[in-house]
Amino acid sequence: MLTIQQIKDNPERVIERLAVKGFDGKEVIGRVITLDNERKRLQLNNDNKAAELNRLASQIGALMKQGNKEEAASVKEAVASIKEEQKTIAASLAATEEEIRNLLLTVPNLPCDMVPEGKTAADNVVEKTGGPMPELPEDALPHWDLAKKYNLIDFDLGVKITGAGFPVYVGKGARLQRALIQFFLDEANKAGYLEIQPPYVVNEASGYGTGQLPDKEGQMYFVGEDNLYLIPTAEVPVTNIYRDVILSADALPKKNCAYSACFRREAGSYGKDVRGLNRLHQFDKVEIVRIERPEDSYAALEEMKDHVQHLLDELGLPWHILRLCGGDMSFTSAITFDFEVYSAAQKRWLEVSSVSNFETYQANRLKCRYRGEDKKTRLCHTLNGSALALPRIMAALLENNQTPEGIRVPECLQKYTGFSIID
């Protein structure tokens, strides 16, 4: 969440940047400033009462030594009265701090200056393109038909076992899926990321730490009996490793990667855009997470983009990078770049990765800090990206590599699959 200092330093700019995300912040920012001024007043009053109590305690001790019990008793009555006043002040202070926090939780992160204005995905900016565009015949099959033809994915069996959006990978389909996971993890390891195997369920504090709560309750699977949430991405448990942690400056950056299953309730409704692997309730993904000094985070963001681009080039997929406009960004992000691959049989672009810098927004929620050379603690910057999400990668690989002889497997995956063609 935003810091009070961030808001009070330049409230007009905060309101202006929030508007880029389509958020009218004038009223809430004004209320936060008013409440913070009240908080300071209450805190000063509380401190003054504490100082007065210390003074009176010394006075009582001196009077008792002098044998002046009556005057000491009178001072003790004053102490009791002040303590009651202090309780009232402390309760008001706690309530004010709680109201400030609850308000701040409703305010999205500020988009950085590089974020273009716009309201929908149509306003996103294509920043870069690459990869070979396949040439397929007009009767090329979409991946859901290829999956059935070559017995790779059983969507009907998934419906039987669980419901729509939970596919079952079979035979060479399962091996190709496993090959993609291993390839992504190995490449992350080469790039210096430490592999983590995180839990697939998190507590409420972890959801608040990375901003899934209170923004996305309806999108997460909730285990009510245990008050736990199934993770929508490995970003949540991995970033929360650093919750309530003060790192030394020389320990940064922290570079982690993790494979996990991901669970999302809002998988979509009906139609070709959500058919097959296009949108699922459960899917696999390799995530990269970085904790950085503020001055290094945008160079780290470029490194992460280059890493994702490298993976797509190795897979031989056509891709482009979108710089998201304010209206299409997440609640928590300061800037996001989406990678999309072209699905030749569907004749459409499919999102396979989002790479984001959250600046101090998540770190403030997490209390993720580092101690500088001057011994002062500062908030870190947090970043993450999909490297990569598997379902639409699998869809594009199947569709773009179909031939009369079968489906060609990219060379980078063959050492993991043990086969070069699916026939």
Side-chain angles (χ1 to χ4, degrees), residues 105 207-208 210-222 229-230 232-233 235-236 263-266 329-333 358 361-362 365:
L105 287 172
Y208 274 95
T210 46
Q212 276 67 36
L213 299 176
D215 182 46
K216 295 183 174 66
E217 296 102 323
Q219 300 176 16
M220 298 171 71
Y221 283 97
F222 179 58
Y229 294 84
L230 273 66
T233 165
E235 166 205 345
V236 181
F263 304 89
R264 300 187 184 180
R265 294 183 66 240
E266 89 315 349
M329 287 173 61
S330 75
F331 188 86
T332 52
S333 173
F358 302 93
Y361 191 86
Q362 286 183 332
R365 288 176 174 234

Side-chain angles (χ1 to χ4, degrees), residues 139-151:
D139 59 352
L141 298 176
H143 68 272
W144 51 85
D145 288 337
L146 292 167
K148 187 172 185 179
K149 178 179 178 179
Y150 293 103
N151 191 29

